[in-house]
Amino acid sequence: MLNLLTAEKIKLIRSKKLWIVLSIFALFPIYQVANSRLAVHYGTELNQAVDTVINGATGVLMIEKNGLTILLVMSAFISFFIGEEFQHGTIRNALSLGRSRTQYYLSKLVVASSLTLVGVTLLTLIGMIGYSMVYGFGEVAGIRDYVPFAIKSFSTLYLLILANVSIYVMISFLTNSSGSSLIWSFLYTIGTGFGAGIFQQTEHFKHITFWFTESFLFYSNFAHPADIARFPEMALVSLITILLTSAIGMVKFNSTDIK
């Protein structure tokens, strides 16, 4: 397993895909700070419930503010990162050396999870610094103990993103193709993300939507007490999603005929 991760690390560092992903995560918060500053200059008043991030303190919610962007970027990266292994036949090299398919699957999941962590951490730090420079660090309304709130909110948001990363990895191993994986990952992201908004208008189906982590990510205010109280539920749904999708992905991959 360690050898697989080392090999993945070397390939990833040499890959343009890695630097494209990190560049997007680094530049996007800078753009958003500049855009919000321009909007304020022309008379717009920032509101936390609407704009999510309005100062350095709320910058810890940059993952929530950029949830859809993060998911689309990571789905594209994972689709090519894994799909190309099947299309180019390089997957056979690792398996021919005696590595189990379970280890191979987990190595891809670990790499995708690690890159996601690095990316969202970079996004959050630059966001907090940028908004602090323009609007001051300030505070989060209604939050007395900021550090515990920041740790819990960031961890919960990362878990919500990680659950979707696990789904993208599963889809890539099910489709064995970059193009097909990209399409299905996009359809899943849009369908569960924006489709949930429709079902939440109904009395009987609105609770079901919260079995999809994107419902929490897109329709919660992580600075609101009622949503903060649901952090444990969000974490539980995320962990269940990761376990289920990983199990399905590994079972399917172990029975796949690799040509």
Side-chain angles (χ1 to χ4, degrees):
M1 182 70 175
L2 185 60
N3 291 336
L4 279 174
L5 290 175
T6 302
E8 294 291 353
K9 177 183 176 182
I10 295 173
K11 287 192 294 185
L12 199 57
I13 291 176
R14 295 175 179 176
S15 171
K16 292 181 180 179
K17 293 187 287 289
L18 168 67
W19 304 111
I20 291 173
V21 170
L22 293 181
S23 295
I24 293 174
F25 284 151
L27 295 175
F28 215 71
I30 297 174
Y31 161 76
Q32 289 179 322
V33 171
N35 187 58
S36 65
R37 182 69 184 88
L38 185 63
V40 170
H41 176 74
Y42 284 102
T44 300
E45 184 176 344
L46 297 181
N47 180 279
Q48 194 280 319
V50 176
D51 301 292
T52 306
V53 177
I54 59 173
N55 55 24
T58 54
V60 73
L61 304 178
M62 285 295 290
I63 299 176
E64 179 190 359
K65 183 177 179 66
N66 298 284
L68 180 60
T69 300
I70 294 170
L71 293 182
L72 292 178
V73 170
M74 290 309 304
S75 66
F77 168 80
I78 292 169
S79 295
F80 288 105
F81 175 60
I82 296 176
E84 288 179 353
E85 297 275 8
F86 286 95
Q87 292 172 204
H88 297 162
T90 52
I91 186 175
R92 293 193 295 270
N93 297 336
L95 298 181
S96 64
L97 295 176
R99 307 302 178 190
S100 71
R101 294 195 179 196
T102 298
Q103 288 181 329
Y104 186 85
Y105 186 99
L106 290 176
S107 70
K108 294 295 185 182
L109 180 60
V110 169
V111 170
S113 303
S114 300
L115 176 58
T116 303
L117 179 59
V118 172
V120 297
T121 300
L122 183 66
L123 176 81
T124 302
L125 288 177
I126 294 177
M128 293 181 74
I129 293 171
Y131 277 90
S132 293
M133 291 175 62
V134 176
Y135 302 106
F137 188 76
E139 60 181 12
V140 181
I143 302 298
R144 294 183 180 180
D145 299 320
Y146 178 76
V147 174
F149 162 76
I151 294 174
K152 290 178 182 178
S153 59
F154 179 85
S155 301
T156 303
L157 283 163
Y158 172 66
L159 276 176
L160 291 172
I161 294 292
L162 186 59
N164 287 278
V165 166
S166 178
I167 291 171
Y168 299 145
V169 171
M170 178 193 70
I171 291 174
S172 294
F173 274 97
L174 292 179
T175 58
N176 301 343
S177 167
S178 297
S180 298
S181 175
L182 191 60
I183 293 171
W184 282 109
S185 296
F186 176 80
L187 291 176
Y188 167 81
T189 302
I190 299 301
T192 57
F194 295 101
I198 299 174
F199 287 103
Q200 284 181 14
Q201 305 303 317
T202 66
E203 184 65 29
H204 298 291
F205 295 102
K206 63 181 180 180
H207 299 295
I208 298 177
T209 61
F210 286 106
W211 280 103
F212 295 93
T213 54
E214 287 184 53
S215 298
F216 291 116
L217 191 62
F218 292 165
Y219 301 102
S220 300
N221 180 354
F222 284 73
H224 191 275
D227 291 321
I228 292 173
R230 301 188 73 178
F231 279 2
E233 180 185 352
M234 296 180 192
L236 177 61
V237 172
S238 298
L239 291 173
I240 291 174
T241 301
I242 293 169
L243 290 174
L244 283 177
T245 54
S246 297
I248 293 172
M250 284 187 281
V251 168
K252 177 61 178 177
F253 179 46
N254 278 309
S255 62
T256 299
D257 180 24
I258 300 176
K259 299 179 180 180

